[in-house]
Amino acid sequence: MTDQKISAFDIYEYLPHTNCKNCGENNCMAFAEKLLQGKKNIGGCSALRGDQYEKNRQEIQTLMDVTRD
């Protein structure tokens, strides 16, 4: 595994950027931070549950798997 450091911005790039607050955070960037810290999970983003975001969910999961290695 590489020593690449994943940032909240890396995760944020794949979020829908709606800032809907349905996840309980003020905006998508804050949600990305909580994901990175392990305080939230991908399912917390209601917009990401849509079929149109399947690829984004997979990319975020891949990033999250890298942070755990």
Side-chain angles (χ1 to χ4, degrees), residues 8 32 45:
C45 176

Side-chain angles (χ1 to χ4, degrees), residues 2 8-9 11 13 18 32-33 36-37 39 41 44-48 53 57 61 66 68-69:
T2 66
F9 187 74
I11 296 169
E13 289 184 70
T18 59
E33 286 281 347
L36 188 61
Q37 296 168 3
K39 295 179 179 178
N41 62 51
C45 176
S46 59
L48 271 181
Y53 290 111
R57 277 195 308 274
Q61 188 61 57
V66 168
R68 287 188 212 113
D69 288 345

